[in-house]
């Protein structure tokens, strides 16, 4: 579930769009310790009698290192997400995980999910709900369809149905951080801060590089501590 701009409490920060699409690419270059980069003027003390760099101190050619291959399977991506501490790289991993959850073994169910997204964007709520119902009936283990229907129910104000669908998502995939974020937001809005804190803590265990989620954990923990004193 991806909830946009939900306010947890009057003092807590707002939930911005979770998991924005962010492409991140980089090239790693190996550096040999104590050697200058190509083109760096030599140190006079390291020059030979002719003023040229000595053989022992000649610059070492920099060899590009192939970037680490990204995990392709879901378990591998989630394990990498749990280890990753860079918010940018973690966000890319999280996007890949969400994309995997939004794909099923049924091309028809996938198409219904796409139609539901389009209908939602066009404010055709009834049609979107019908498409999602069909996708779930066709593939009852389609995590992405259950999650999207949970979000749709939330936007319609059907909180009980939304939580019911979230629970189904977490039954099928306990590591679904999007569903945990949605559950935490709903619980906070309904005043169940202790339960919301547990949901956010579960979220951070799966996606520790999400600094916003970490702030939610700290904020709610402090608020609960204040009510106990």
């Amino acid at each position: 579930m991806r909830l946009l701009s939900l306010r947890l409490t009057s003092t807590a920060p707002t939930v911005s769009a979770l998991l924005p699409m962010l492409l991140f690419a980089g090239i790693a270059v190996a550096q040999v310790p104590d050697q200058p980069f190509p083109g760096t003027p030599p140190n006079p003390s390291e020059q030979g009698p002719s003023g040229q760099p000595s053989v022992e101190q000649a610059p070492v050619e920099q060899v590009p290192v192939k970037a680490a291959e990204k995990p392709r399977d879901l378990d591998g991506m989630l394990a990498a997400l749990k280890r990753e501490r860079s918010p940018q790289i973690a966000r890319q991993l999280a996007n890949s995980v969400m994309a995997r959850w939004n794909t099923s073994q049924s091309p028809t169910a996938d198409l219904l999910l796409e139609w539901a997204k389009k209908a939602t964007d066009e404010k055709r709520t009834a049609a979107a709900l019908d498409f999602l119902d069909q996708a779930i009936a066709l593939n009852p283990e389609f995590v992405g369809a259950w999650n999207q229907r949970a979000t749709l129910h939330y936007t319609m104000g059907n909180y009980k149905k939304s939580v019911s669908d979230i629970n189904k998502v977490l039954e099928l995939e306990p590591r679904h951080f999007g569903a945990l974020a949605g559950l935490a937001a709903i619980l906070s809005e309904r005043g169940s801060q202790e339960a919301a804190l547990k949901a956010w803590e579960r979220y951070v265990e799966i996606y520790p590089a999400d600094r916003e989620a970490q702030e939610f954990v700290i904020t709610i923990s402090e608020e609960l501590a204040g009510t106990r004193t």
Side-chain angles (χ1 to χ4, degrees):
M1 183 175 184
R2 301 173 64 186
L3 301 176
L4 309 184
S5 301
L6 296 181
R7 187 169 296 278
L8 299 182
T9 66
S10 58
T11 57
T14 57
V15 179
S16 63
L18 293 175
L19 314 178
M21 295 302 295
L22 176 62
L23 299 179
F24 181 90
I27 300 176
V29 178
Q31 297 181 22
V32 180
D34 302 323
Q35 296 293 346
F37 286 103
T40 303
N43 189 317
S45 63
E46 298 174 351
Q47 296 179 2
S50 62
Q52 298 298 321
S54 64
V55 174
E56 292 78 9
Q57 299 297 331
V60 176
E61 181 181 358
Q62 306 302 302
V63 181
V65 175
K66 184 179 179 181
E69 185 176 354
K70 297 177 183 177
R72 297 181 180 180
D73 65 291
L74 181 61
D75 290 341
M77 288 190 290
L78 284 166
L81 181 63
K82 189 169 186 177
R83 294 191 303 267
E84 186 57 57
R85 292 300 178 266
S86 165
Q88 291 80 10
I89 298 176
R91 214 168 270 159
Q92 184 186 22
L93 282 167
N95 285 333
S96 297
V97 170
M98 290 294 290
R100 186 67 59 86
W101 280 328
N102 287 333
T103 303
S104 71
Q105 301 298 319
S106 168
T108 303
D110 293 345
L111 183 60
L112 287 166
L113 188 68
E114 289 300 320
W115 288 350
K117 290 178 181 177
K118 188 174 186 297
T120 300
D121 292 341
E122 296 172 352
K123 310 299 182 183
R124 294 186 293 116
T125 305
L129 189 57
D130 182 57
F131 290 141
L132 292 170
D133 288 343
Q134 291 183 53
I136 290 171
L138 187 64
N139 186 351
E141 296 187 356
F142 189 2
V143 171
W146 285 101
N147 187 61
Q148 189 167 327
R149 197 174 74 173
T151 305
L152 185 59
H153 277 312
Y154 177 84
T155 61
M156 295 170 65
N158 301 328
Y159 296 147
K160 288 185 178 180
K161 290 183 178 180
S162 180
V163 171
S164 177
D165 282 352
I166 288 174
N167 287 335
K168 183 61 179 182
V169 173
L170 296 175
E171 176 187 325
L172 294 169
E173 177 49 84
R175 302 168 296 181
H176 200 296
F177 46 84
L180 286 168
L183 178 62
I186 291 174
L187 290 169
S188 287
E189 285 195 342
R190 301 179 73 175
S192 302
Q193 294 295 74
E194 290 190 8
L197 176 60
K198 290 180 181 178
W200 279 121
E201 288 174 340
R202 287 171 62 191
Y203 178 103
V204 172
E205 286 179 5
I206 301 164
Y207 188 172
D210 190 327
R211 294 175 180 172
E212 190 174 30
Q214 293 173 358
E215 291 177 2
F216 292 151
V217 170
I218 294 171
T219 300
I220 298 175
S221 296
E222 290 176 347
E223 290 180 351
L224 289 174
T227 62
R228 292 175 185 141
T229 58

